[in-house]
Amino acid sequence: MPTARLTVDPGFRIGAVDRRLFGSFVEHMGRSVYTGVFEPDHPAADEDGFRTDVLDLVRELGVTLVRYPGGNFVSNYRWEDGVGPADRRPTRLDLAWRSVESNAFGLNEFMAWAAKAGIEPMMALNLGTRGTSEALDLLEYTNHPGGTALSDLRRSHGVADPHGVRLWCLGNELDGPWQMGHKTAAEYGRLAAETARAMKRFDPGLELVACGSSNAYVDTFASWEATVLEHTYPFVDYVSLHAYYDPTDRDTDSFLASAAEMDRMIDAVVSTADHVGARLRDRKKIKLSFDEWNVWYQSRFGGEDSLDWQPAPRLIEDVYDVTDAVVVGSLLITLLRHADRVGAACQAQLANVIAPIMTEPGGPAWRQTVFHPFAQTARHARGTVLRVEPDSPVIETERYGEVPALWATATHDEESGEIVLFAVNRDRTSPLALTAGLRPFPGARVVEHLVLADDDPGAVNTADRPDRVRPRPVDGTKNDDGTLTAQLPPVSWSMIRLATR
Ligand SMILES: O=[N+]([O-])c1ccc(O[C@@H]2O[C@@H](CO)[C@H](O)[C@H]2O)cc1
C-alpha cells in the first residue's frame, strides 16, 4: 500500500484557528432565506417565523459567522425596504436573480435569527448601485445606540439596542460584469476607500473587507486586488476571495485536487497584498476573507436569464455526493493551512442554495454529504494550526499537474491538550497508509478516527434517505511509541483525534 508520512510538532505553528473560518452565507437568492431559514407557515417555525429544525442543524453544523444579504443580490438592494412594519414593506424586483423579493425578511429579522443561531453577523453593503451615504445610513441604523434619526427609527421598529455589527463587506464582486453597478478597479477602489474612511470615523473598531476578484480566472485577477488595495490599504482589514469548484466535467482527479488550486489562489492574494503593503511602506498585514467558497455544479446552472420573476425559486439546489464532501473537507484543510493570513471564510451558502442544509417547504430539513466534514472541522479544529509537511505519493492531474495524494493539516488545542489530524486521500483506487510522527507528545492516544468514504463515491443524501452518507468510526488507528498509523480509504476525508493528557 502506498504510504504518506508527516510529523506533528507543537514548535511548528502556523497560527491560531480563527473561529471566523467556519462561516457561512445567507443570501436573498432562491430558497436560501424563504423556506430555508425563514418559513412562518412551517409546523416547526418559532414565533419569529424561523424554522427551528434548520436552526438546530445550523447549531450542529457549528457555523460561527454568517454573511448577509448577498452576494449579487446586495448590489441593487435597498436595506430600508426590509425594515419596519412587515405589511408596509415593498415587493421589489431582484435584478440579480430575476426573482421577486417580498422583503418579509430583512435586517432585524436576520439579526434576531443570528442571535438565536449563536452566530456573528457579517453584513454586506450595496456599493454597486448605491454609495457612501447609504452605507453610512445603514451603519447608523444598525450600530448607533439612539438619539439620531436613523437609530431612533430602529428603536421605533422595536429594536432598542444597537446590533453592534463589527464585520462589513464593502460590496460584492464589483469586478464582475454580471454585478449591478459593476466597476473598474480604480472606480471601486476610490469608492471603497472613501466609504471605509467614513465608516472608521464612525467607529475605528469596525473590520472592513474590500472586494477582491470574483474568481481566480478573470483576466483582472491580482491586478484588481493590487489597484483596489492601493486605494484602500490604510482603511481596510481584509480583502475577499471567492472560488467555486465545479465537478461537472468528470475529470475527477483534477476535481479532487481543487484544494491545491485554492492554495495557489491564497498564495497569489497574499503576495499581491504584501506587495502593495511594501510599496506603501505600511507594516500592517491585510488579512484574507474567503467569503464565498464551495463546490458548485456551475455548468448545470442555466444562468440568470433562465429565471422568470418568481418569489424564492428553486435555484442551484445542487445535490452533493461523497466525492464533493471529500473536496469540501480538503478545502477546509487548505483554509486551516493558511490560518496565519485567512481570518474569515464563508461556505456559500447555508440552506438550499449550494448548501449543506436542505429543506422542503412545509417538510423536512436534512444534512447533505458536505455538511459532515464542515461540522466535524468546525467542532474539533481548535487552538493552533501546526505545520505538517507530508511526504506523499503524487497523483497526476490534467488541470493542476502533480498533486500529493495526501492533503492534511493538524491542530493542537493547548487548553484541552487535544491534537486533531484532518487528512484526505485523493487517490481514487488505492487506500493510503498514513504514518504520523508524534514524538513531542508522549502518551498521546487515539480517541476517535472518523472517516467519510463510501464504496459508491456518487452516493448522496436525500429527504427519503437523509443519513445514507455520514462519517463512520474506524478501528485500528493507533499510536505506538510516538508513531501513529492509520489507513485512509480511496477518496476519503478523515478526522483523527488524540488526547495527550
Ligand atoms: O463564475 N461565475 O460565473 C460566477 C458568477 C456569479 C457568481 O456569483 C457569486 O456567487 C453567488 C452564489 O453564491 C453569489 O451571489 C455571488 O457573489 C459567482 C461566479
Side-chain angles (χ1 to χ4, degrees):
M1 191 188 306
T3 301
R5 291 181 180 79
L6 57 83
T7 303
V8 185
D9 190 312
F12 303 149
R13 297 163 61 94
I14 294 179
V17 180
D18 197 313
R19 299 302 299 162
R20 282 181 174 166
L21 289 184
F22 308 111
S24 190
F25 179 29
V26 171
E27 176 169 7
H28 284 251
M29 172 182 181
R31 299 193 306 116
S32 187
V33 171
Y34 303 107
T35 73
V37 299
F38 180 73
E39 189 178 346
D41 296 338
H42 193 277
D46 67 10
E47 66 286 358
D48 292 320
F50 307 146
R51 284 185 64 151
T52 55
D53 53 348
V54 174
L55 272 171
D56 288 343
L57 287 176
V58 171
R59 290 187 200 103
E60 183 186 323
L61 187 60
V63 168
T64 53
L65 175 78
V66 172
R67 184 166 174 252
Y68 174 84
N72 297 343
F73 171 80
V74 81
S75 294
N76 190 34
Y77 179 52
R78 283 174 258 204
W79 64 267
E80 303 89 331
D81 290 348
V83 296
D87 57 350
R88 281 196 247 142
R89 296 187 195 174
T91 296
R92 300 267 189 206
L93 293 178
D94 161 21
L95 298 178
W97 302 112
R98 288 173 60 93
S99 306
V100 166
E101 172 56 52
S102 70
N103 284 303
F105 188 94
L107 171 68
N108 294 319
E109 286 78 19
F110 174 69
M111 291 300 170
W113 177 84
K116 283 185 177 174
I119 56 113
E120 181 189 359
M122 179 191 209
M123 290 293 299
L125 298 165
N126 176 358
L127 289 189
T129 59
R130 304 187 105 184
T132 307
S133 170
E134 294 91 340
L136 294 173
D137 286 351
L138 173 57
L139 183 59
E140 180 186 325
Y141 180 94
T142 308
N143 279 7
H144 195 63
T148 64
L150 290 166
S151 55
D152 285 345
L153 181 65
R154 184 197 68 242
R155 293 171 69 90
S156 78
H157 293 156
V159 183
D161 294 330
H163 292 300
V165 176
R166 303 205 60 77
L167 194 55
W168 294 81
C169 300
L170 300 163
N172 177 71
E173 294 192 353
L174 286 151
D175 63 323
W178 56 85
Q179 209 70 216
M180 303 302 128
H182 155 60
K183 291 173 177 47
T184 65
E187 287 166 348
Y188 170 70
R190 288 288 302 126
L191 176 59
E194 292 314 315
T195 305
R197 190 205 303 267
M199 290 177 76
K200 291 236 166 152
R201 170 81 53 99
F202 172 86
D203 178 356
L206 297 178
E207 295 175 75
L208 305 179
V209 186
C211 284
S213 298
S214 52
N215 64 68
Y217 297 101
V218 289
D219 288 344
T220 47
F221 177 64
S223 75
W224 167 277
E225 281 79 354
T227 304
V228 167
L229 288 173
E230 284 279 342
H231 290 289
T232 58
Y233 207 95
F235 314 115
V236 302
D237 305 278
Y238 292 86
V239 61
S240 74
L241 292 81
H242 290 182
Y244 293 99
Y245 303 94
D246 190 345
T248 318
D249 68 6
R250 284 292 143 213
D251 170 6
T252 307
D253 284 334
S254 296
F255 174 58
L256 279 163
S258 297
E261 179 62 2
M262 181 191 243
D263 204 51
R264 207 162 68 171
M265 185 180 184
I266 291 172
D267 285 341
V269 175
V270 167
S271 323
T272 305
D274 288 352
H275 164 80
V276 177
R279 222 199 55 69
L280 298 175
R281 282 134 186 101
D282 193 326
R283 282 162 187 260
K284 171 173 114 178
K285 293 279 187 209
I286 297 285
K287 288 197 278 185
L288 274 54
S289 171
F290 216 124
D291 48 44
E292 285 187 32
W293 68 267
N294 208 353
V295 171
W296 177 1
Y297 287 73
Q298 240 169 331
S299 27
R300 287 186 193 161
F301 173 44
E304 298 81 5
D305 293 343
S306 63
L307 300 161
D308 59 349
W309 311 113
Q310 299 301 313
R314 285 186 187 263
L315 186 53
I316 59 169
E317 299 195 0
D318 287 356
V319 176
Y320 294 118
D321 65 16
V322 173
T323 305
D324 299 329
V326 170
V327 169
V328 162
S330 66
L331 296 171
L332 286 160
I333 289 172
T334 296
L335 293 171
L336 287 168
R337 287 171 61 98
H338 289 277
D340 53 338
R341 293 303 288 270
V342 181
C346 304
Q347 189 184 32
Q349 298 189 5
L350 183 64
N352 294 322
V353 175
I354 45 172
I357 297 171
M358 295 303 284
T359 70
E360 271 304 314
W366 66 97
R367 303 165 191 82
Q368 292 234 56
T369 59
V370 298
F371 182 100
H372 295 291
F374 189 107
Q376 295 295 335
T377 308
R379 186 157 171 204
H380 294 295
R382 288 178 187 273
T384 305
V385 185
L386 301 180
R387 187 176 303 285
V388 296
E389 298 288 359
D391 175 13
S392 165
V394 293
I395 293 172
E396 187 59 40
T397 70
E398 206 170 304
R399 259 182 269 164
Y400 311 123
E402 253 182 20
V403 297
L406 174 73
W407 196 237
T409 192
T411 56
H412 178 215
D413 184 354
E414 292 85 351
E415 247 172 63
S416 68
E418 200 164 88
I419 296 163
V420 187
L421 274 169
F422 299 94
V424 160
N425 176 14
R426 291 169 164 147
D427 197 307
R428 287 195 292 132
T429 51
S430 172
L432 189 63
L434 171 66
T435 303
L438 290 166
R439 285 263 154 81
F441 301 99
R445 57 183 198 288
V446 176
V447 286
E448 185 178 32
H449 178 178
L450 284 182
V451 70
L452 196 98
D454 203 280
D455 290 343
D456 174 11
V460 300
N461 291 340
T462 58
D464 295 335
R465 290 190 76 189
D467 295 319
R468 162 70 184 79
V469 178
R470 61 192 159 83
R472 291 169 201 280
V474 181
D475 292 332
T477 301
K478 55 182 192 304
N479 179 28
D480 288 330
D481 286 339
T483 303
L484 174 125
T485 48
Q487 195 175 313
L488 312 180
V491 191
S492 66
W493 172 90
S494 281
M495 185 205 57
I496 303 170
R497 287 198 299 130
L498 297 111
T500 58
R501 301 178 190 141

